[in-house]
Amino acid sequence: MRLLRHPVVGFLLVSGALLVVIAVVAGRLADRAAEEGALAERRATNRLVTTALVEPYLKERLFPGSSKSLPGTLDRFDREMRQLVTNSPARIEALTVRAADGTVVYAPDLSLIGQVYPLTAAEEAALLDGGTGSAPAGDRAPLVPAGPDGSPEDLVQVFTGSQTPQGRQVLVEAFYDVQDIESRRAEIYNAYRWITVGPFLLLVVIVTCLLTLLTRQLRTASRDRERLLRSAISASDAERRRIARDLHDGVVQDLAGTAFSLSALSRDPATPTRARDLLEDTGVALRDSLKALRSLLAEIHPPDLHARGLAAALSDLVAPAEAAGIEATVAVHDDVAHAPDAEVALVWRVAQEAVRNAIRHSAAGRLSVEVGAAPSGLVLEVADDGVGFDPEAVRDRSSYGLRGLQSLVEDTGGSLVVDSAPGEGTRVLLRVER
């Protein structure tokens, strides 16, 4: 799943889907254009054949019933047309000529000459304006000869309007093999296909390279940022340790010594009763202050912040909750014992901020801290039954330091979720990824 979230992989998946759509749509358009292009070439060829090779032989005496008809005219025209069909580079399968009324002037099957096969609307239009058209040849039988495979369905009819020197209109029809046209269509289609799909493929390659480079730079910047954050946290921890050590070795020891001295003095028989009571009260106050100061030191930096000492550190962390009237519980599962120190430190930081917020702001009656292990890392849950809040309403406020840890948690691959609502308490869930 992490691989699918990679921006380059996502881009390639989207690009692949778009490529399929473009290939299908462009393929259909290109196929249609290629087919029209192949037929257009045959129409141009037929016009050239009609003008240069057929019209010179269209004599008036060729037409059936003509008063100028001479013996051998049809035979000579038949030889010329058969030679034209045989030698044509366009691979004409057959050639026929019809008059404006549909009368067959010439056909390879000489028995069809003189018979009438009415012209279609497209053929009449070509005859009137001297244009060229095309149509499937299957519906023109028996005028159409059998194709290479023995069926008129294997031929395409291409017709061109022409006229004799005397002005008689005729329709010159050539029949071409469908397979030849299909081959030419495939050639044109391949050119269209690379023109439409090729630039997109090139664009995908270029964008993929750029996106890979940018992703690498972002990852490098993210690692640098994480390193700086860790350095800042390490420096903060070092400073916390120094402050805790100085307080423990200085002020705490002095207060402890003073408390012992006052207690000893209050028990001295030579001390007046009134002074003894005052000294005892002062000693109690000093011991309470010393206990609060030690809790503060544990909050600043616990002395044993590692997996086996996490339960004790968290217990010290929630100790101030009792003074605030909050019943606090800590549960650290046994499977946490072998967790890395880095994960334990992150759990501690988040728990520290969550507990601090709960004590200060939640007005809760119960507070629970639970730490367990999952296959992917540690899981921390801090929950209270307090007044809760609207996370969206305080998104821009700085009173909740958990937001300052959000980026650090995300940089380690983990997740930090604050679930709360007014009157429903607050639940902080941390998942640390290994």
Side-chain angles (χ1 to χ4, degrees):
M1 293 300 294
R2 294 186 66 180
L3 182 62
L4 294 178
R5 291 197 297 267
H6 194 284
V8 177
V9 175
F11 172 75
L12 289 177
L13 291 176
V14 173
S15 300
L18 287 176
L19 181 60
V20 171
V21 174
I22 291 176
V24 171
V25 175
R28 291 181 178 178
L29 295 177
D31 185 70
R32 188 178 304 170
E35 182 177 0
E36 181 60 30
L39 289 174
E41 289 183 357
R42 287 295 182 264
R43 289 194 290 267
T45 299
N46 202 63
R47 175 176 290 279
L48 180 62
V49 168
T50 299
T51 303
L53 302 178
V54 178
E55 284 183 357
Y57 296 98
L58 289 176
K59 308 299 183 182
E60 186 67 24
R61 57 180 176 268
L62 181 64
F63 289 83
S66 173
S67 59
K68 299 180 180 181
S69 178
L70 296 176
T73 300
L74 179 60
D75 293 338
R76 190 178 306 111
F77 186 81
D78 181 50
R79 287 195 303 271
E80 294 293 341
M81 293 302 101
R82 291 183 183 275
Q83 184 177 4
L84 169 63
V85 169
T86 301
N87 299 329
S88 172
R91 298 185 61 180
I92 300 175
E93 297 294 330
L95 190 144
T96 61
V97 179
R98 280 188 291 165
D101 60 356
T103 302
V104 178
V105 177
Y106 169 77
D109 184 358
L110 299 181
S111 63
L112 297 176
I113 296 176
Q115 298 187 28
V116 178
Y117 294 92
L119 275 61
T120 65
E123 292 170 343
E124 290 180 350
L127 187 68
L128 291 175
D129 60 11
T132 302
S134 60
D139 57 353
R140 305 303 295 163
L143 181 63
V144 180
D149 295 334
S151 171
E153 302 290 342
D154 300 323
L155 299 177
V156 173
Q157 175 197 24
V158 180
F159 45 86
T160 301
S162 182
Q163 61 183 9
T164 65
Q166 291 75 26
R168 186 193 291 261
Q169 291 181 321
V170 293
L171 189 72
V172 179
E173 303 165 280
F175 298 90
Y176 297 89
D177 187 356
V178 170
Q179 295 302 321
D180 290 340
I181 297 178
E182 281 296 314
S183 298
R184 181 55 184 157
R185 182 201 63 78
E187 293 176 2
I188 299 174
Y189 172 77
N190 289 334
Y192 275 114
R193 180 178 60 186
W194 287 115
I195 289 174
T196 54
V197 178
F200 182 77
L201 286 175
L202 180 61
L203 178 63
V204 169
V205 172
I206 294 175
V207 174
T208 301
C209 294
L210 292 176
L211 189 58
T212 302
L213 179 61
L214 291 175
T215 302
R216 191 170 299 167
Q217 291 178 347
L218 286 174
R219 285 187 170 181
T220 301
S222 178
R223 284 194 295 267
D224 292 341
R225 180 170 174 269
E226 180 181 352
R227 180 170 47 80
L228 291 174
L229 284 173
R230 291 187 180 278
S231 298
I233 291 175
S234 297
S236 175
D237 287 342
E239 184 65 16
R240 287 168 177 264
R241 285 195 299 270
R242 187 190 66 80
I243 294 174
R245 185 177 60 251
D246 290 346
L247 288 175
H248 182 272
D249 295 341
V251 176
V252 172
Q253 297 300 327
D254 292 343
L255 288 176
T258 302
F260 288 140
S261 298
L262 290 175
S263 296
L265 187 59
S266 67
R267 290 192 294 270
D268 188 349
T271 303
T273 302
R274 184 177 179 184
R276 186 182 304 165
D277 295 338
L278 181 60
L279 290 173
E280 183 63 29
D281 293 340
T282 304
V284 171
L286 277 177
R287 285 192 294 271
D288 291 341
S289 298
L290 185 60
K291 184 186 299 184
L293 184 56
R294 283 175 174 167
S295 297
L296 178 60
L297 291 180
E299 183 177 349
I300 292 175
H301 192 276
D304 295 314
L305 190 55
H306 51 76
R308 295 188 181 277
L310 182 59
L314 292 176
S315 297
D316 291 339
L317 180 64
V318 300
E322 182 179 355
I326 301 174
E327 179 185 348
T329 59
V330 174
V332 179
H333 297 181
D334 294 338
D335 50 9
V336 180
H338 302 289
D341 290 347
E343 294 183 11
V344 173
L346 185 58
V347 168
W348 162 260
R349 291 295 304 275
V350 174
Q352 182 185 46
E353 193 62 42
V355 170
R356 181 185 300 158
N357 287 338
I359 294 174
R360 292 180 181 176
H361 307 293
S362 70
R366 289 189 301 273
L367 171 67
S368 64
V369 180
E370 183 177 1
V371 182
S376 58
L378 295 181
V379 178
L380 165 70
E381 183 182 63
V382 180
D384 65 66
D385 61 353
V387 296
F389 64 97
D390 182 1
E392 296 297 327
V394 297
R395 182 172 294 276
D396 297 329
R397 290 173 53 185
S398 60
S399 58
Y400 291 90
L402 285 172
R403 303 199 183 282
L405 297 173
Q406 184 80 40
S407 59
L408 177 62
V409 173
E410 292 176 352
D411 288 340
T412 61
S415 62
L416 179 62
V417 178
V418 179
D419 184 15
S420 183
E424 297 184 5
T426 302
R427 177 173 174 264
V428 177
L429 181 64
L430 166 70
R431 296 184 183 273
V432 183
E433 299 290 339
R434 289 187 180 139

